[in-house]
Amino acid sequence: MDTKPQTYYTTEEVADLLKVNKESVRRWVRDNKLKAVKLSGKFIRISQDDLDGFVKAMRGGNNG
């Protein structure tokens, strides 16, 4: 069974990875375009799997 630990990113880390403004990441989360896990208060985390899916969708790559 392959059970590697999931990696989670902050909005700032996602912004750095995608080379966009962190407000863009927050807007995508608000608009439900990018899934995020809400923690206490305003803190959110974005999983590697959700980020990968988002990037694939943005590139129009739903073909495998």
Side-chain angles (χ1 to χ4, degrees), residues 29-43:
V29 170
R30 246 189 341 264
D31 293 346
N32 294 317
K33 293 180 180 177
L34 176 58
K35 290 183 185 177
V37 177
K38 293 200 180 223
L39 304 175
S40 63
K42 295 182 178 181
F43 297 104

Side-chain angles (χ1 to χ4, degrees), residues 6-33:
Q6 181 66 267
T7 300
Y8 288 87
Y9 299 104
T10 64
T11 53
E12 290 81 8
E13 289 170 327
V14 170
D16 287 344
L17 287 168
L18 300 181
K19 300 191 182 343
V20 297
N21 188 291
K22 61 186 174 183
E23 280 304 316
S24 294
V25 177
R26 291 184 182 124
R27 185 175 60 252
W28 293 333
V29 170
R30 246 189 341 264
D31 293 346
N32 294 317
K33 293 180 180 177

Side-chain angles (χ1 to χ4, degrees), residues 1-5:
M1 182 181 242
D2 184 18
T3 57
K4 65 179 184 175

